[in-house]
Amino acid sequence: MIEDILLAVAGAAAAAAVYVGAAARVVKQYERGVVFRFGRLRGEVRPPGFTMIVPAVDRLHKVNMQIVTMPVPAQEGITRDNVTVRVDAVVYFKVVDAAEALVRVEDYKFAVSQMAQTSLRSIIGKSDLDDLLSNREKLNQGLELMLDSPAIGWGVQIDRVEIKDVSLPETMKRSMARQAEADRERRARLINADAELQASKKLAEAAHQMAEAPSALQLRLLQTVMAVAAEKNSTLVLPIPVELLRFLERATPEAPPAAAPPGPAPEPLPPVEDLTGPSVDPAPRTPPPDMAA
């Protein structure tokens, strides 16, 4: 009798152990458990830790609540300014309602991936090339809103969306490079012209200042000579400008004319004798005898 009781107790214990082993489940910290009983959603979502279900009746589905990083394949499209580009992105999302993620959509990861691809193509068609290259933050926000609206009904929350890369045709890259080079050359010329204008104004002011003080020009000349001499050249050519000569001429005082030294008085000249005498008329010429006959 006692042996039968012991056997019954052992059998019950074994059955209980088998039942506990079949019914015991462990939900990890980053997971949530959803129980379906005969295909119907049962009770609340099971929290992390040890939990029990009814064997052969309940089915426990574990849903990962971590943030999922999903790359979006590169999508080719035409921008609003008729430029063909290829754009790829990455989507960060997580499940906020485990029951809705299992009941509302068949595969929430696949659904989010397809929705991200279509939204990315839509963003490409609505944007200009300059916006895709320089205004990505605004496009990321718009893409996030487009994804978050339907995903919230699936128990999924879009955490962040970012455009990774924008691929351009080689011809477009060369055109943009030439445009950037031309723009930089234009700015360089404007800066150079502005520098020349400022330098000319400063030189004009210096010229007016030197005109008021001519000695300043000579000091500037001496400074230039010192700067050239500092190079230790073997030959130094010193030009003498005309202004230096004029400055020296104005700086030198004019001396009064020297008086003649006193000497003996000059002797008077002797009178000139008139050697011409009285004037005599010439005698008339007599023709020869043969000519008179």
Side-chain angles (χ1 to χ4, degrees):
M1 185 66 180
I2 297 176
E3 293 179 357
D4 295 338
I5 295 174
L6 293 177
L7 290 174
V9 171
V18 171
Y19 177 83
V20 171
R25 295 290 187 274
V26 175
V27 180
K28 297 180 181 179
Q29 181 64 37
Y30 56 85
E31 294 177 339
R32 297 296 182 270
V34 181
V35 178
F36 291 92
R37 179 170 295 178
F38 295 112
R40 294 176 62 89
L41 185 63
R42 178 67 179 178
E44 299 292 335
V45 176
R46 302 296 175 89
F50 181 79
T51 185
M52 297 287 292
I53 62 173
V54 178
V57 175
D58 295 342
R59 293 289 184 269
L60 178 66
H61 296 270
K62 298 178 182 179
V63 180
N64 194 332
M65 307 296 289
Q66 292 176 319
I67 295 178
V68 180
T69 303
M70 177 180 294
V72 181
Q75 303 297 313
E76 185 173 353
I78 301 177
T79 60
R80 191 167 57 182
D81 50 355
N82 298 324
V83 179
T84 303
V85 294
R86 289 177 60 88
V87 182
D88 56 351
V90 60
V91 180
Y92 302 89
F93 67 94
K94 62 181 178 180
V95 177
V96 294
D97 192 338
E100 294 290 334
L102 289 178
V103 174
R104 296 290 182 180
V105 63
E106 180 181 1
D107 187 351
Y108 64 89
K109 292 185 180 180
F110 181 75
V112 171
S113 175
Q114 294 300 313
M115 184 177 57
Q117 295 180 31
T118 56
S119 300
L120 183 58
R121 285 195 294 268
S122 178
I123 285 292
I124 293 174
K126 295 179 180 179
S127 304
D128 295 331
L129 180 60
D130 294 339
D131 294 335
L132 288 175
L133 296 177
S134 60
N135 199 10
R136 293 189 181 182
E137 190 65 28
K138 182 179 179 181
L139 296 180
N140 292 338
Q141 294 177 0
L143 190 57
E144 182 179 350
L145 291 176
M146 294 178 65
L147 293 176
D148 195 41
S149 298
I152 197 66
W154 304 338
V156 178
Q157 179 182 354
I158 304 299
D159 188 70
R160 192 172 183 180
V161 182
E162 289 187 357
I163 296 176
K164 290 198 306 182
D165 189 21
V166 178
S167 300
L168 299 174
E170 292 297 329
T171 55
M172 180 59 65
K173 290 181 180 179
R174 289 194 294 267
S175 299
M176 294 177 65
R178 290 195 299 268
Q179 179 183 0
E181 183 179 358
D183 183 67
R184 289 185 178 275
E185 185 177 357
R186 178 183 62 84
R187 285 187 290 176
R189 290 183 177 180
L190 289 177
I191 293 174
N192 190 18
D194 187 45
E196 292 292 338
L197 177 60
Q198 295 180 6
S200 62
K201 290 182 179 180
K202 293 298 180 181
L203 289 176
E205 293 179 2
H208 287 298
Q209 188 69 24
M210 289 181 180
E212 297 178 359
S215 58
L217 179 62
Q218 313 311 320
L219 294 177
R220 183 57 184 156
L221 175 62
L222 295 177
Q223 290 180 356
T224 305
V225 172
M226 291 179 60
V228 174
E231 299 294 333
K232 298 181 180 179
N233 295 328
S234 58
T235 303
L236 177 62
V237 179
L238 179 61
I240 301 178
V242 179
E243 288 78 4
L244 179 60
L245 300 178
R246 293 176 180 175
F247 172 74
L248 295 176
E249 182 181 357
R250 289 194 298 268
T252 303
E254 296 182 358
E267 296 179 357
L269 296 176
V272 179
E273 182 180 358
D274 186 7
L275 299 179
T276 59
S279 60
V280 179
D281 295 335
R285 296 181 60 181
T286 304
D290 52 358
M291 292 183 64

